[in-house]
Amino acid sequence: MTSRSPIVFGELLVALGLAGLGLFTIIGSQDISTGGGYSQIGPRAFPYMIGAGLLALGGILCWQAVSGGWRNVPQDEAHNEPDWLAFGILSGAILLHMAAIAWAGFVLASTFLFILIARGFGSRKLVRDIVVGLVLSTAAYFIFTRALGLNLPAGLLGGL
Amino acid sequence: METLNALLSGFAVAMTLQNLLLGFIGVTLGTLVGVLPGVGPALTVALLLPATSSLDPTGALIMFAGIYYGAMYGGSTTSILLNTPGESATIVTALEGNMMAKRGRAGPALSTSAIGSFVAGTLSVIMLTAVAPLVVNLALKFGPTEYFSVMVLAFITVSTLLGSSMARGLASLFFGLWIGLIGIDGQTGQARFTMGIPELLDGIDVVVAAVGLFAVGETLYLATYLNKIGDTIEQVKGSIWMSKSDWGRSWKPWIRGSFLGFPIGAMPAGGAEIPTFLSYAIEKKLSKQPEEFGNGAIEGVAGPEAANNAASTGTLAMLLTIGLPTSATAAIVLAAFQQYGLQPGPLLFDTQPLLVWGLIASMYIGNVLLLVLNLPLVGLWIKLLSIPRPLLYGGILIFATLGAYGLRNSWFDLLLLYIIGLIGFMMRRYDIPVAPTIVGMILGPIAEQQLRRALSISQGDPSIFFTHPISATVLVIAFLLLVGPPIWKRIASKKHPPVGGATAAP
């Protein structure tokens, strides 16, 4: 692996992931019960085809990754300085929202989500974010539950 | 005559107060969300899908058509003022329109795009009205064999004509097809790839997938890589109205763009990108001032915008008459139909004529509403563009999670949303197009069904796809699209050592 242009490990990883998914699909297809149907081709055939396609494309992309990199990838200098802190804050925000929504309710969970996302994008105006988040979540809650008939959890604010 | 009667009864449906109001709300919401930077038409449509869930099918689809139109128009406004095309079909608008805006001509650029959209929208709905019954008659002759072949063609074109690499486009398509496998097999009732998770038995909902890929993925990507880079919004100075010479230079490109966009958009190999680029090239060639192109020529906005709009109507024509979505946005519209257990296609014209023709009639109305709404409200849309990023993406995420959670109030859908968002983030980072995934996941199960029907008819003999003439022709075209470009590239770059091998598209 001493190719002249450096291997982008992300590309290799994505390609291996695809090939792996293809392999998993082919193997997993054998576990699908054919259900004894009358049809000429059962529920396994299409998954086999897709698994084979994923495996082949993953292979091609692996080969491209080790032989000079993926083709025609636009060079983007922004990729040199990833802001993983922001990535982490956003991820945490979404996962916290997932954990909180059922008991805290839509309005509180969404307001908190909003504040964290804004923080991830570098906002330092906490009061503004709380107010905007609260107004937006409350408005969305009433529009979707009252006018559009969607069911959203009221949670801690349910008694109000 | 029959068509005219059908259309008139469609207008009777669309002109009821409730449906007019829904159309108006749809157009307004579509524009409102579509104009937000970073929110393309596909995401707009996916985000607003839950908003239609409590309506009757006709009303919901009329509102949805409005959302679709509004989203297209909103995207153009963003392209012109911000130079961030939400999707590849508005790249040309972004290029030329943003140059106009930089030279202080944002007003006329927005006007020519709005009026051009109206002209093209109306012309192409007229074409749709005229062509639909013919296509329906043709499509009624289609058996499963032909359907499967046409879908293969759509798969190939969606994944190879766009984006910068055929291998990555196809990888995205196959990933979408794989997502489409998850859930219960419609024909035998067997669970597939659910990994023992009961929530996956229904499959992955298109709203979760589209919102995850487009909204969560894009938000993560922006925060991680691009947050330090600021946008510059061009100000709208002076009059928004077009001068006499602007009109003179715009009307022909509008009409040419419409006639270019609709037929190409309506083909399974279509999409909106090719007609916009073609229109740009033609207008440049025909212009008396070709040197202005690249520096803000109004023809370069008028033509491609009309072509884009006409092509999106063409895509809808394809969806309505054959049931085939050829863009990510159309794929989500198809999901909206499926929400009501409706399958667009030739049979729908028979079984639900009032719904189909009401929808078509509402497109005529939607175009008028869009024009009435947009010219006076340009100032408001511009304000939306200057929402600070932290607030904008905070808001987008509130609605993204609402859409995913509201489906069945399950935290699992939010986890899925995040996982798909991570995949979208990686796809964006490594330049893998997202649209083929969406088309693959929605069209995949339908294609599988047709494949299995075709093969049961032929008793398992796959040669059926080559003995039926329509099917054979379509498959040959698909094959040429797959192998043609790489071979062409090899011949063209004979003097250089072949770099891309058999996998890189030009």
Side-chain angles (χ1 to χ4, degrees):
Chain A
M1 295 246 237
T2 45
S3 167
R4 249 161 265 147
S5 49
I7 293 170
V8 181
F9 281 98
E11 291 181 355
L12 196 58
L13 216 63
V14 174
L16 285 173
L18 269 174
L21 183 67
L23 211 58
F24 166 79
T25 307
I26 293 173
I27 296 169
S29 301
Q30 286 160 1
D31 295 336
I32 301 169
S33 156
T34 50
Y38 58 90
S39 51
Q40 294 289 333
I41 86 163
R44 285 182 187 170
F46 202 63
Y48 273 131
M49 289 160 67
I50 291 165
L54 283 168
L55 190 61
L57 289 162
I60 291 170
L61 287 173
C62 269
W63 173 76
Q64 287 190 358
V66 297
S67 63
W70 285 3
R71 310 300 186 239
N72 297 317
V73 176
Q75 288 304 313
D76 199 335
E77 282 175 16
H79 290 162
N80 299 334
E81 293 174 48
D83 182 353
W84 291 115
L85 178 66
F87 181 89
I89 295 176
L90 260 60
S91 299
I94 300 168
L95 294 173
L96 262 173
H97 175 259
M98 173 187 80
I101 188 162
W103 62 270
F106 175 83
V107 173
L108 284 185
S110 294
T111 305
F112 200 56
L113 172 78
F114 184 91
I115 297 166
L116 278 179
I117 300 277
R119 187 74 179 73
F121 273 91
S123 167
R124 294 286 177 278
K125 297 174 181 163
L126 188 60
V127 178
R128 175 196 70 176
D129 295 347
I130 293 174
V131 173
V132 176
L134 203 59
V135 170
L136 206 57
S137 314
T138 315
Y141 179 79
F142 281 106
I143 292 172
F144 276 87
T145 53
R146 298 290 148 83
L148 297 168
L150 223 66
N151 195 12
L152 294 170
L156 298 177
L157 298 181
L160 302 180
Chain B
M1 214 49 225
E2 208 182 315
T3 307
L4 210 59
N5 280 335
L7 184 64
L8 282 178
S9 49
F11 266 104
V13 174
M15 294 289 260
T16 60
L17 192 61
Q18 189 211 355
N19 287 341
L20 271 179
L21 196 66
L22 286 172
F24 181 76
I25 296 173
V27 170
T28 314
L29 276 178
T31 316
L32 193 74
V33 179
V35 81
L36 298 172
V39 183
L43 176 59
T44 307
V45 170
L47 277 177
L48 293 173
L49 188 58
T52 59
S53 58
S54 64
L55 300 167
D56 70 292
T58 310
L61 289 172
I62 284 177
M63 181 167 160
F64 222 67
I67 291 173
Y68 184 79
Y69 273 132
M72 301 297 288
Y73 179 77
S76 312
T77 305
T78 322
S79 300
I80 290 169
L81 296 177
L82 211 56
N83 196 15
T84 49
E87 49 148 22
S88 40
T90 50
I91 288 174
V92 181
T93 316
L95 191 88
E96 213 58 41
N98 194 248
M99 287 312 295
M100 278 184 78
K102 282 212 164 72
R103 287 177 28 195
R105 308 225 320 124
L110 290 167
S111 296
T112 197
S113 139
I115 302 168
S117 296
F118 167 73
V119 171
T122 307
L123 280 176
S124 54
V125 182
I126 294 173
M127 288 188 254
L128 166 73
T129 312
V131 167
L134 305 175
V135 182
V136 163
N137 275 335
L138 177 74
L140 282 172
K141 297 193 179 76
F142 276 25
T145 321
E146 284 76 19
Y147 268 115
F148 181 72
S149 302
V150 172
M151 284 175 192
V152 169
L153 178 63
F155 283 151
I156 302 276
T157 52
V158 168
S159 35
T160 59
L161 290 184
L162 316 178
S164 43
S165 146
M166 194 182 265
R168 294 200 289 282
L170 286 172
S172 167
L173 170 75
F174 272 84
F175 179 65
L177 290 172
W178 184 80
I179 294 182
L181 283 180
I182 297 173
I184 289 181
D185 168 37
Q187 279 178 309
T188 58
Q190 299 298 323
R192 296 191 296 189
F193 300 102
T194 55
M195 289 152 268
I197 302 167
E199 279 90 348
L200 286 179
L201 285 175
D202 291 337
I204 291 179
D205 192 273
V206 64
V207 170
V208 178
V211 171
L213 287 174
F214 285 111
V216 180
E218 180 74 17
T219 305
L220 286 170
Y221 179 84
L222 263 171
T224 312
Y225 290 110
L226 297 178
N227 198 29
K228 296 179 198 94
I229 303 159
D231 293 322
T232 38
I233 304 168
E234 300 305 330
Q235 295 304 314
V236 180
K237 297 168 218 137
S239 164
I240 70 155
W241 300 106
M242 293 157 62
S243 68
K244 210 166 193 165
S245 100
D246 289 334
W247 280 94
R249 291 173 61 179
S250 288
W251 71 271
K252 279 186 206 154
W254 289 337
I255 293 172
R256 278 194 289 263
S258 313
F259 282 95
L260 212 56
F262 181 81
I264 301 182
M267 284 193 279
E273 292 73 14
I274 300 164
T276 55
F277 286 112
L278 267 180
S279 162
Y280 186 74
I282 290 175
E283 295 313 330
K284 192 172 176 181
K285 192 132 224 163
L286 292 177
S287 171
K288 292 191 190 81
Q289 299 103 327
E291 70 284 352
E292 267 190 39
F293 278 74
N295 300 311
I298 195 162
E299 296 93 335
V301 182
E305 263 309 288
N308 181 16
N309 209 284
S312 65
T313 309
T315 318
L316 276 186
M318 193 68 193
L319 181 66
L320 277 176
T321 53
I322 304 194
L324 202 65
T326 50
S327 70
T329 319
I332 297 166
V333 176
L334 171 61
F337 274 93
Q338 288 172 340
Q339 222 177 29
Y340 296 99
L342 298 168
Q343 189 61 48
L347 293 177
L348 202 63
F349 278 79
D350 251 0
T351 54
Q352 299 270 3
L354 281 181
L355 182 140
V356 176
W357 287 103
L359 185 61
I360 295 175
S362 82
M363 293 179 194
Y364 285 92
I365 299 167
N367 276 311
V368 179
L369 289 176
L370 204 56
L371 190 69
V372 174
L373 190 69
N374 275 309
L375 285 179
L377 288 185
V378 160
L380 177 68
W381 307 142
I382 295 164
K383 286 220 175 60
L384 285 174
L385 286 178
S386 44
I387 296 175
R389 260 192 201 156
L391 303 185
L392 175 64
Y393 286 96
I396 288 177
L397 263 267
I398 287 187
F399 286 97
T401 48
L402 190 156
Y405 190 76
L407 291 170
R408 49 184 182 187
N409 278 12
S410 159
W411 63 270
F412 182 78
D413 285 325
L414 291 175
L415 180 64
L416 215 51
L417 183 77
Y418 179 65
I419 293 172
I420 294 174
L422 284 182
I423 294 169
F425 169 77
M426 279 197 297
M427 291 173 82
R428 177 75 207 270
R429 167 66 182 82
Y430 293 107
D431 193 41
I432 301 172
V434 172
T437 303
I438 303 284
V439 174
M441 78 171 275
I442 294 177
L443 210 47
I446 308 174
E448 180 184 12
Q449 197 184 22
Q450 302 291 1
L451 172 72
R452 283 159 75 175
R453 278 190 198 152
L455 286 176
S456 343
I457 293 169
S458 74
Q459 312 212 314
D461 177 8
S463 71
I464 186 174
F465 292 108
F466 300 99
T467 49
H468 286 209
I470 298 178
S471 162
T473 317
V474 171
L475 285 179
V476 167
I477 296 172
F479 181 73
L480 288 178
L481 281 171
L482 198 59
V483 299
I487 293 175
W488 178 250
K489 200 189 168 202
R490 264 205 184 175
I491 298 169
S493 63
K494 205 76 205 196
K495 32 191 165 25
H496 309 289
V499 275
T503 49

